[in-house]
């Protein structure tokens, strides 16, 4: 399906989100004006917004998948994940301190992150082939943020808004042994030492490797390949929680270790 939006409307939407990111002032949902906007409209705006950010000196270093859990898909009334770019400027090391004021309405979630050791070009990529392409696996904390007012997002809105990306904190990379089953990697998520959520890799589309395969195939339809060295964020393992000033968030993963984020 081709976008409903005209080229001028796509550019206006991208510039509105660009300004919202810069000024931290949200915009109304695009689907308020046209509830029939779909994924193709969102991706058209996303491509223009990404181009604006890259022109400013940022760099796309991978992709994030969103809506990989059944509850999130049900919430938006969709049956498929979405994706957006991972920008170099948004990635932080374990233990980083991130300012709450850098965002509009941030939330944080724990997930499994891969770095590809081999390129993947869809269509036709299977989870087994995606698994074989993984060079490193690591614990991740993603800050999701919405430049759409009050998180009133339809599918087109969140896609246009770079799949609601905000920032990411990455843990120590590990070359996964052949016997590691990403589905079974358990996770305990805490705020200020208090356990507030648990999850496992299977929450992400049944298998985080299946997320990589889905992403490779969807991008392949658009003439884009996943390249060796790129990061792939595979989606939340639990419901996202608000990012509150002064808090310390910790995700403890089986096999991958713990990762911590400080909020200033």
């Amino acid at each position: 399906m081709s976008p409903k939006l005209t080229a001028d409307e796509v550019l206006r939407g991208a510039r509105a989100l660009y300004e919202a990111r810069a000024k931290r002032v949200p915009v109304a949902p695009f689907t308020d004006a046209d509830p029939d906007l779909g994924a193709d409209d969102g991706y058209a705006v996303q491509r223009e917004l990404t181009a604006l950010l890259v022109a400013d000196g940022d760099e796309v270093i991978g992709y994030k998948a969103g809506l990989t859990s059944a509850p999130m898909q049900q919430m938006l009334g969709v049956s498929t994940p979405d994706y957006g770019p991972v920008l170099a400027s948004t990635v932080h090391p374990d233990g980083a301190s991130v300012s709450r004021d850098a965002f509009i309405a941030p939330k944080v979630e724990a997930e499994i992150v891969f770095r590809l050791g081999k390129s993947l070009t869809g269509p036709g990529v299977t989870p087994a082939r995606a698994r074989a392409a993984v060079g490193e696996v690591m614990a991740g904390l993603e800050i999701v943020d919405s430049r759409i007012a009050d998180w009133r997002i339809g599918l087109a809105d969140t896609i246009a808004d770079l799949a609601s990306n905000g920032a990411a904190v990455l843990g120590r990379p590990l070359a996964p042994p052949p016997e590691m089953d990403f589905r079974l990697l358990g996770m305990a998520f805490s705020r200020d030492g208090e356990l507030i959520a648990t999850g496992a890799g299977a929450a992400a589309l049944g298998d985080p490797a299946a997320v990589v395969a889905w992403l490779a195939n969807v991008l392949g339809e658009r003439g884009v390949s996943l390249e060796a060295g790129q990061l792939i964020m595979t989606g939340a393992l639990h419901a996202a929680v608000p990012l509150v000033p002064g808090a310390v968030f910790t995700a403890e993963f089986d096999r991958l270790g713990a990762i911590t984020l400080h909020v200033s």
Side-chain angles (χ1 to χ4, degrees):
M1 184 181 297
S2 59
K4 289 185 59 184
L5 294 174
T6 66
D8 284 345
E9 288 170 333
V10 167
L11 187 55
R12 284 201 297 272
R15 290 192 178 281
L17 287 171
Y18 177 87
E19 292 293 329
R21 292 174 72 90
K23 298 177 180 178
R24 295 189 290 280
V25 177
V27 299
F30 301 132
T31 51
D32 275 3
D34 187 348
D36 293 330
L37 294 179
D40 286 331
D41 296 290
Y43 286 121
V45 175
Q46 182 189 113
R47 285 191 293 273
E48 289 294 339
L49 175 56
T50 302
L52 290 172
L53 296 169
V54 169
D56 278 349
D58 218 329
E59 180 185 3
V60 175
I61 59 171
Y63 293 90
K64 61 153 289 185
L67 306 178
T68 56
S69 67
M72 286 302 296
Q73 291 183 12
Q74 291 163 6
M75 186 181 80
L76 288 189
V78 300
S79 58
T80 182
D82 66 351
Y83 68 84
V86 174
L87 299 168
S89 66
T90 67
V91 176
H92 304 274
D94 180 22
S97 179
V98 176
S99 171
R100 164 63 179 79
D101 291 340
F103 307 97
I104 296 174
K107 303 178 183 182
V108 61
E109 55 195 36
E111 56 192 83
I112 293 169
V113 181
F114 297 129
R115 189 183 303 278
L116 294 182
K118 302 175 183 176
S119 62
L120 287 170
T121 302
V125 175
T126 63
R129 185 175 156 204
R131 170 67 170 82
V134 170
E136 296 176 333
V137 58
M138 63 202 86
L141 289 173
E142 182 181 8
I143 299 171
V144 291
D145 193 22
S146 184
R147 276 61 60 170
I148 306 297
D150 303 319
W151 280 97
R152 292 189 295 113
I153 52 173
L155 181 62
D157 300 308
T158 185
I159 290 174
D161 192 22
L162 308 192
S164 303
N165 81 348
V169 176
L170 303 182
R172 175 181 57 87
L174 171 71
E179 71 276 7
M180 179 179 283
D181 190 336
F182 301 135
R183 301 172 306 158
L184 305 182
L185 292 177
M187 184 279 308
F189 186 65
S190 302
R191 180 182 57 222
D192 298 330
E194 178 184 357
L195 181 68
I196 56 173
T198 59
L205 216 60
D207 181 349
V211 176
V212 179
W214 173 85
L215 187 57
N217 291 329
V218 169
L219 286 172
E221 293 173 358
R222 301 176 185 272
V224 178
S225 295
L226 294 178
E227 304 295 343
Q230 287 185 325
L231 294 172
I232 307 295
M233 304 188 69
T234 61
L237 305 183
H238 60 95
V241 300
L243 194 78
V244 292
V248 178
F249 292 94
T250 302
E252 299 169 274
F253 281 81
D254 181 36
R255 308 287 293 275
L256 305 182
I259 184 170
T260 299
L261 165 65
H262 300 263
V263 187
S264 60

